[in-house]
Amino acid sequence: MSENVKETSTTGERARAGAGAPADVGAPAPALPVEAPAPAALRARVRSLGPHMTRSMHAVAEAVASDPAGCSRLTVSALAAHTGTSEATVVRTARLLGYPGYRDLRLALAALAAQQESGAAPAVTVDIAVDDPLADVVAKLAHEEAQTLADTAAGLDLGQLAEAVAALATARRIDVYGVGASSLVGQDLAQKLLRIGLIAHAHTDPHLAVTNAVLLRPGDVAVAITHSGTTGDVIEPLRRAFERGATTIAVTGRPGAPVAHYADHVLATSAARESRLRPAAMSSRTSQLLVVDCLFVGVAQQTYERAAPALAASYEALAPRHSATAPTSRRTTRQEPRP
């Protein structure tokens, strides 16, 4: 192992033996340490781990997520028969989802069914057709956004979040990497941190991201934001920062994706579905923005004595730019075009 690759006991440790290897999109997913999720987080866990399951395990996971009430009444043999798999596959799926065994999964399914029965979600789907009325589009999008936020909050690892907040709060310098829609989220994080007196930069140019990443060192923090977890222009600077000894954080909808190989802390967002109509689905950005807000508020709490005066100073500096001039008493009319 290169002496530049730091040794810690955090999430990124599983990749340190091969930290210099290229970020291969097709690389096999590593074993994911999981904790038993709350019942409400089950669907979010299924959506985030789905791409890394075998076909038979995915069939079991989809069955329990789509019909928790029905599956909670099935024995392990009955669920295996229902999904066309084996009892061993059912047990392995339960463990991958974070439960010690199938009995614990059944209890979670029963609790989730009870929650859904007491407060059922609106009967709309997230599929938007080209000819959908605008009212249906609004209803479907609003429902998906709300569900995405709930999934992200339920599935967020609070231990990883707390460690990420602590690293940001004491960082000498913070670099944030993201491209496309994720770059907007990265800029939001950097601007928030700047407002409370931290040195933060959002890099959207992949060349600048890499050239800045190689200058990081222990005490610095690098944050990668990528919904797919496979974006090479984001993985490469994070890998460089990782090898230089900086603390690395990944915000991604795929916790087992290549970006996590170089992350000390992985913050999972809801694995939102995208379509031809919405190739950069709003819900993937919404879940990222929720995580960013959680990071920002946590850092502001830990650095409150410094953050509060910095925020006050920035508000005061910007106040004159937000004061509108008084409107004139006479309304200006639009000039009609000449014939």
Side-chain angles (χ1 to χ4, degrees):
M1 181 186 299
S2 169
E3 63 183 4
N4 286 334
V5 180
K6 61 184 185 294
E7 298 179 359
T8 74
S9 59
T10 52
T11 304
E13 186 178 71
R14 64 180 177 272
R16 296 188 189 280
D24 184 4
V25 172
L32 300 176
V34 294
E35 300 176 358
L42 176 59
R43 186 178 296 277
R45 186 65 64 94
V46 170
R47 293 173 70 180
S48 63
L49 296 182
H52 311 293
M53 294 180 178
T54 64
R55 184 177 301 178
S56 56
M57 293 175 72
H58 192 266
V60 175
E62 283 295 324
V64 299
S66 60
D67 185 17
C71 290
S72 69
R73 295 189 290 269
L74 299 178
T75 64
V76 64
S77 301
L79 182 56
H82 175 66
T83 56
T85 61
S86 65
E87 294 182 16
T89 298
V90 172
V91 173
R92 284 198 298 269
T93 305
R95 289 175 178 169
L96 180 62
L97 292 175
Y99 302 95
Y102 180 61
R103 178 179 177 276
D104 304 274
L105 175 59
R106 284 186 69 182
L107 292 174
L109 292 175
L112 178 58
Q115 290 177 3
Q116 291 178 340
E117 187 175 346
S118 62
V124 296
T125 68
V126 297
D127 299 313
I128 299 176
V130 175
D131 57 352
D132 272 348
L134 192 56
D136 289 354
V137 172
V138 172
K140 290 177 181 181
L141 287 177
H143 173 59
E144 184 180 2
E145 295 293 296
Q147 188 62 53
T148 296
L149 290 173
D151 286 351
T152 300
L156 198 57
D157 187 323
L158 297 182
Q160 291 284 298
L161 178 64
E163 291 178 6
V165 165
L168 290 169
T170 57
R172 182 188 71 94
R173 165 181 161 185
I174 300 162
D175 276 13
V176 187
Y177 315 126
V179 296
S182 295
S183 72
L184 303 176
V185 179
Q187 292 175 53
D188 184 66
L189 174 60
Q191 290 173 13
K192 282 180 164 66
L193 296 176
L194 283 169
R195 292 284 295 273
I196 57 175
L198 298 181
I199 299 174
H201 304 281
H203 299 287
T204 58
D205 183 300
H207 291 182
L208 287 177
V210 170
T211 55
N212 278 272
V214 297
L215 300 177
L216 298 181
R217 61 176 189 259
D220 298 330
V221 175
V223 183
I225 303 176
T226 163
H227 178 65
S228 68
T230 60
T231 307
D233 286 339
V234 174
I235 294 173
E236 178 63 12
L238 190 74
R239 179 178 72 84
R240 299 278 187 165
F242 180 91
E243 292 172 346
R244 298 297 296 175
T247 299
T248 52
I249 302 168
V251 179
T252 178
R254 306 284 188 268
V259 71
H261 296 185
Y262 307 107
D264 295 311
H265 310 296
V266 177
L267 303 178
T269 60
S270 175
R273 290 193 298 166
E274 300 194 351
S275 67
R276 286 186 301 173
L277 282 178
R278 295 179 301 130
M282 288 191 307
S283 52
S284 62
R285 264 200 322 279
T286 300
S287 57
Q288 291 172 346
L289 288 168
L290 173 61
V291 173
V292 161
D293 281 348
C294 290
L295 288 171
F296 168 70
V297 172
V299 172
Q301 287 177 318
Q302 289 199 14
T303 62
Y304 185 76
E305 291 186 0
R306 177 180 60 182
L311 273 176
S314 64
Y315 278 123
E316 183 178 353
L318 292 176
R321 298 181 177 273
H322 291 292
S323 58
T325 57
T328 59
S329 56
R330 184 177 175 183
R331 181 175 179 179
T332 303
T333 58
R334 183 176 298 171
Q335 187 175 7
E336 293 294 333
R338 294 182 180 179

